[in-house]
Amino acid sequence: MLAITRRVGPVWRGVVRSDQELIGEALNGQAGAFAELAARHRGRVERLCQRFFSDSEMARDLVQESFLKAFAALKTYRAEMPFGAWLRAIVVNLCYDELRRRRRKPEELVGDFTEPELEWMQLVNTATPEEIVAEAEERHQAHDLAHRLLDTLKPEDRMVLVLKDSEELAVSEIAGILGWSEAKVKVRAFRARQALRKHADRMLWAQRRLATR
């Protein structure tokens, strides 16, 4: 007996629509198709925004803005690039703009640390940037402090560090997203690692001074 499928909106029951099919339908005026596309990619977009901003409200706003911008620019999308990569570039550049707008000075980020935070800060002195990122994601108490430390970096350095060490993108992919040369990406990655350690040492030193007052 043949199985019968019935179409509902942009989706066939029992059939997974490809990104390309949904994009085609969205461009033909079927709003439900883009809603399906957004739902499919929302988790990855949320994760990426949260890597750059610990403020959950800020991250939510950027997620919403990313999809609004993607919908508005959908006519410019070209099928030779996976939709997920195209959308990621939009998200990254929105986060980059926001980082540049709200950059804070390192001295503004020093505050009282809890004991777990101090333990994590000690880890920063010996761990690699990759281990720092991984540890921050695994240890809840380190999450806010990790963002506080990342906030000390220049926006360009932070972008490279997160995309390379957290998102695990290749140098060529990062260069394509940011419109940089691969050489610039490599230099920025090196500088970001140096700056991260420098600011971690500075924050620890400032905390020790506060503790001895």
Side-chain angles (χ1 to χ4, degrees):
M1 183 175 179
L2 293 175
I4 298 175
T5 59
R6 183 165 64 88
R7 188 176 179 182
V8 179
V11 182
W12 288 81
R13 287 182 179 175
V15 177
V16 178
R17 308 285 281 166
S18 70
D19 284 354
Q20 302 301 326
E21 289 172 313
L22 291 172
I23 290 168
E25 292 186 354
L27 289 173
N28 286 329
Q30 297 186 37
F34 189 80
E36 174 72 16
L37 195 63
R40 181 177 297 176
H41 291 272
R42 189 175 187 86
R44 286 187 288 271
V45 172
E46 288 177 343
R47 182 194 65 194
L48 184 54
C49 291
Q50 289 164 2
R51 291 197 192 284
F52 288 108
F53 299 98
S54 59
D55 184 332
S56 58
E57 184 175 350
M58 170 62 68
R60 283 196 299 270
D61 287 345
L62 285 168
V63 170
Q64 182 71 10
E65 187 176 353
S66 295
F67 283 115
L68 289 173
K69 189 167 186 178
F71 182 74
L74 199 58
K75 290 181 180 179
T76 69
Y77 170 74
R78 296 294 176 265
E80 56 266 21
M81 174 184 288
F83 177 76
W86 181 79
L87 178 61
R88 181 174 59 203
I90 290 175
V91 178
V92 167
N93 280 286
L94 280 174
C95 290
Y96 187 23
D97 289 342
E98 183 62 25
L99 285 173
R100 286 184 290 188
R101 187 186 70 79
R102 58 184 279 153
R103 189 188 172 205
R104 298 167 64 190
K105 298 179 180 179
E107 55 267 25
E108 296 175 346
L109 301 165
V110 176
D112 293 330
F113 299 133
T114 64
E115 186 172 341
E117 286 179 333
L118 285 172
E119 290 177 359
W120 188 81
M121 287 295 291
Q122 296 294 339
L123 170 72
V124 171
N125 281 340
T126 58
T128 66
E130 293 85 351
E131 290 170 338
I132 292 170
V133 171
E135 190 73 10
E137 291 179 352
E138 292 176 4
R139 295 173 61 174
H140 176 72
Q141 69 268 26
H143 180 267
D144 289 343
L145 185 57
H147 276 276
R148 197 190 309 182
L149 182 57
L150 287 171
D151 280 344
T152 65
L153 296 178
K154 293 180 179 179
E156 296 83 359
D157 292 342
R158 183 169 182 172
M159 294 300 298
V160 170
L161 192 64
V162 170
L163 293 177
K164 191 171 187 299
D165 294 338
S166 191
E167 287 294 299
E168 299 182 342
L169 298 186
V171 169
S172 59
E173 291 179 291
I174 299 172
I177 291 172
L178 298 176
W180 297 352
S181 67
E182 292 188 19
K184 181 176 179 178
V185 173
K186 292 176 182 178
V187 169
R188 278 294 180 185
F190 176 76
R191 289 179 179 174
R193 288 178 170 85
Q194 287 188 317
L196 193 66
R197 291 198 183 284
K198 175 183 176 181
H199 293 314
D201 287 341
R202 184 175 183 178
M203 290 171 73
L204 279 172
W205 177 80
Q207 176 61 23
R208 293 191 189 103
R209 286 195 63 187
L210 289 172
T212 57
R213 287 180 180 176

